[in-house]
Amino acid sequence: MKKHLQVIGMVCPFPLVEAEQAMRELSPGQELVIDFDCTQATESLPRWAVKHGHQVVSFEQTGDAQWQITIRKGAAG
Amino acid sequence: MFAKIGLGLLCGIVLGFVLQRGRFCVVSAYRDVILVKDNRMFIAVLIAIAVQSIGVYALAGLGLIQLTDVPFTWLGAIVGGFVFGWGIVLAGGCATGTWYRAGEGLLGSWIALFAYMLGTVATKSGVLKPAHDALTRHKGGDAFIYTTLGISPWVLILLFAALVSLIVWRHLRQPALVVPTLKPRKSGLAHLLFEKRWHPFVTALLVGIIAIAAWPMSEATGRMFGLGITTPSGNLLRYITTGDATYLDWAVFLVLGIALGSYIAAKGSGEFRWRLPDVKTIRHNFVGGLLMGFGASIAGGCTIGNGLVNTSLFTWQGWVATLFIIAGTWSATYVVIMRGRRKETAGAAPGQTAPLSM
């Protein structure tokens, strides 16, 4: 199962706060797709993911100031 | 006037560019220490202070710049710092952060910025001036910490620099996280300036150097201080509403330059877009901006004036105000962000997540 998190319009730190919450509802191996447009989150989201043992499956810019990242939940998280 | 415009804009544009590309944000530096247990940006802020203190006291020692006394209004530093700390969490950015996010096209930051200017003018010369006067009436003895201790400023500068070096060394010794980045689409200088992720410590070094350069640039126009955001933000509103050009000093062009530099950086990196937040964020941004203006005016500076410049001068005002800005930031982060999140979890609100069928 993939879960989709739409945080367009949310400024930091809320994309990260929402991602943490959404990730808690997933089991290891499941993926979280996040659409976001807070520039600072291009730094904080992948960093948070790696720090918590998750895996960044894909990370790309989808438009001007708009990004999508897919994170697979790690065993520990 | 030409020097004010030219030097102010130049310093501002470079600073805005560096802040945007380096994602340098003082509120996140303070906030993330407790919110995500990440102190990397906090260390970066310490680097910027250390670099600036060495540079500024070196320039002053050579007689190239003049340092003016910063009065220690302790009650103002405590109350104002704390209120400002709440303001920047609600506004989603510190003083420079709000200016550079405005340059990225975030309309919420424009709202925060307007409220910040309004709060500043209201507190410094408007309806809230009695509160300002009451809170800044009590003055402490010495302006500089080293005067009280009866030592040379260089003792503090070198001790602080040694401490920061130790913290940086310990941080860099840990195995680095391999964080995935976006696929590069540019190369060479364009990649470096408009795409590459900058290490916060490199950004901090650049911010420190710009903060040093700000001193002679500003003093060349008769303004005897380094970087400052709050007073010029208020002065910009005063100029707009009165047409009185005496409000236009070097620092007004500095803050305008920050927005412009950030716009250039964001536009060049494909990171500019007009963005509108939700209603709750807009409300927070407006209230946060007002608190920022009030708090910074009472404390005699924001996260830059106090948090970066007055700390590097080793003034009592700078360090006391900064400690209380941090206290305000942490308590606001706890009450507004962390406790709010826990409440939501308890209520099992679905939030904005929706499962996608695959």
Side-chain angles (χ1 to χ4, degrees):
Chain A
M1 192 194 84
K2 260 193 198 188
K3 189 164 200 172
H4 200 182
L5 186 64
Q6 181 75 263
V7 288
I8 299 286
M10 273 194 206
V11 286
C12 290
F14 293 101
L16 183 56
V17 170
E18 293 286 330
E20 253 183 339
Q21 173 134 358
M23 196 56 107
R24 229 172 281 142
E25 295 159 16
L26 295 182
S27 338
Q30 289 183 328
E31 291 179 0
L32 183 66
V33 183
I34 310 167
D35 277 302
F36 63 99
D37 66 354
C38 170
T39 318
Q40 288 71 38
T42 58
E43 177 78 26
S44 64
L45 277 176
R47 195 176 158 75
W48 160 80
V50 172
K51 216 175 160 184
H52 288 79
H54 308 309
Q55 191 197 341
V56 176
V57 181
S58 74
F59 180 23
E60 53 198 315
Q61 183 155 7
T62 48
D64 268 357
Q66 210 159 317
W67 298 268
Q68 188 180 67
I69 189 168
T70 306
I71 303 171
R72 185 178 296 145
K73 183 160 179 164
Chain B
M1 190 50 121
F2 189 71
K4 279 183 201 173
I5 299 174
L7 293 175
L9 280 180
L10 174 68
C11 191
I13 289 172
V14 176
L15 182 60
F17 192 96
V18 168
L19 293 172
Q20 201 280 340
R21 294 312 304 149
R23 283 88 168 96
F24 194 83
C25 169
V26 182
V27 60
S28 71
Y30 296 168
R31 187 187 63 207
D32 290 352
V33 171
I34 66 161
L35 185 63
V36 285
K37 315 275 179 292
D38 193 334
N39 52 16
R40 199 166 65 132
M41 207 41 115
F42 192 83
I43 299 172
V45 172
L46 296 179
I47 295 174
I49 296 172
V51 169
Q52 190 190 185
S53 75
I54 295 169
V56 167
Y57 276 97
L59 288 181
L62 293 169
L64 294 172
I65 58 168
Q66 243 181 305
L67 303 181
T68 35
D69 269 15
V70 179
F72 179 35
T73 51
W74 55 273
L75 189 59
I78 292 171
V79 176
F82 194 79
V83 171
F84 183 81
W86 267 79
I88 54 179
V89 170
L90 291 174
C94 61
T96 41
T98 305
W99 271 103
Y100 91 71
R101 286 194 183 84
E104 286 181 337
L106 266 76
L107 290 164
S109 294
W110 283 79
I111 292 165
L113 202 54
F114 174 72
Y116 173 45
M117 292 178 183
L118 186 65
T120 302
V121 177
T123 310
K124 282 185 188 259
S125 57
V127 69
L128 293 172
K129 194 168 186 299
H132 171 268
D133 293 347
L135 286 166
T136 55
R137 200 173 44 220
H138 308 284
K139 288 194 172 57
D142 302 313
F144 298 98
I145 298 173
Y146 51 81
T147 318
T148 311
L149 298 175
I151 51 176
S152 152
W154 285 100
V155 177
L156 288 182
I157 295 165
L158 294 177
L159 276 177
F160 186 69
L163 179 71
V164 174
S165 308
L166 183 71
I167 295 171
V168 169
W169 178 70
R170 285 188 47 159
H171 184 90
L172 292 178
R173 223 177 36 157
Q174 295 165 3
L177 286 176
V178 184
V179 180
T181 50
L182 294 163
K183 253 185 239 100
R185 294 175 189 174
K186 300 181 172 83
S187 61
L189 193 62
H191 170 70
L192 207 61
L193 288 180
F194 292 105
E195 192 170 59
K196 193 184 180 336
R197 169 184 291 160
W198 293 11
H199 193 286
F201 294 178
V202 176
T203 309
L205 204 63
L206 294 174
V207 171
I209 293 168
I210 296 165
I212 298 167
W215 281 87
M217 286 169 120
S218 170
E219 295 201 351
T221 68
R223 179 184 168 277
M224 309 311 273
F225 201 67
L227 294 177
I229 309 294
T230 305
T231 307
S233 299
N235 281 344
L236 180 62
L237 183 65
R238 283 193 187 131
Y239 169 69
I240 294 170
T241 49
T242 62
D244 183 351
T246 51
Y247 288 121
L248 292 177
D249 65 357
W250 176 86
V252 171
F253 295 101
L254 170 82
V255 294
L256 290 172
I258 292 173
L260 197 59
S262 162
Y263 170 75
I264 295 167
K267 193 76 189 166
S269 329
E271 293 176 354
F272 177 86
R273 192 161 52 85
W274 292 109
R275 282 163 273 181
L276 192 64
D278 57 299
V279 174
K280 189 177 156 209
T281 307
I282 294 178
R283 197 180 66 215
H284 276 179
N285 287 168
F286 186 77
V287 174
L290 287 178
L291 293 179
M292 280 168 73
F294 176 78
S297 303
I298 299 292
C302 54
T303 26
I304 299 300
N306 270 325
L308 200 65
V309 182
N310 274 333
T311 44
S312 78
L313 295 176
F314 291 100
T315 62
W316 284 108
Q317 183 78 11
W319 283 95
V320 171
T322 301
L323 286 181
F324 280 87
I325 292 174
I326 295 174
T329 307
W330 285 358
S331 59
T333 300
Y334 180 75
V335 173
V336 179
I337 304 173
M338 298 167 82
R339 220 184 45 157
R341 180 172 53 179
R342 228 166 273 152
K343 238 187 255 165
E344 248 170 55
T345 316
Q352 301 213 353
T353 63
L356 267 188
S357 51
M358 271 301 285

